[in-house]
Amino acid sequence: MRRARGLSQEELAHRADVSRGHMGKVENAKFAASLDLLERIAKALNVDPEELFTKR
């Protein structure tokens, strides 16, 4: 979803107010995201939080 919107991992991390390293771990399922972080990521991507759980 991030790539489809043309965002770098660093830009998404910045918009979600999290470090790029942390964002990378979340994207690669090495670290679980809190509900707060999921909401910030969804807002940064301009989608409803439920869409983060939709299979692509």
Side-chain angles (χ1 to χ4, degrees):
M1 196 175 290
R2 169 182 63 78
R3 289 182 186 130
R5 285 169 172 66
L7 293 174
S8 68
Q9 194 177 70
E10 187 171 355
E11 178 62 23
L12 178 58
H14 174 74
R15 291 182 184 190
D17 194 30
V18 66
S19 73
R20 194 223 40 91
H22 189 86
M23 183 62 70
K25 289 178 182 175
V26 169
E27 282 190 358
N28 292 304
K30 304 264 188 228
F31 195 86
S34 66
L35 291 176
D36 176 62
L37 179 54
L38 289 173
E39 287 178 347
R40 293 187 320 221
I41 291 170
K43 184 176 179 180
L45 292 169
N46 199 31
V47 298
D48 288 324
E50 310 79 66
E51 290 187 55
L52 298 176
F53 299 99
T54 304
K55 278 199 163 207
R56 304 243 170 228

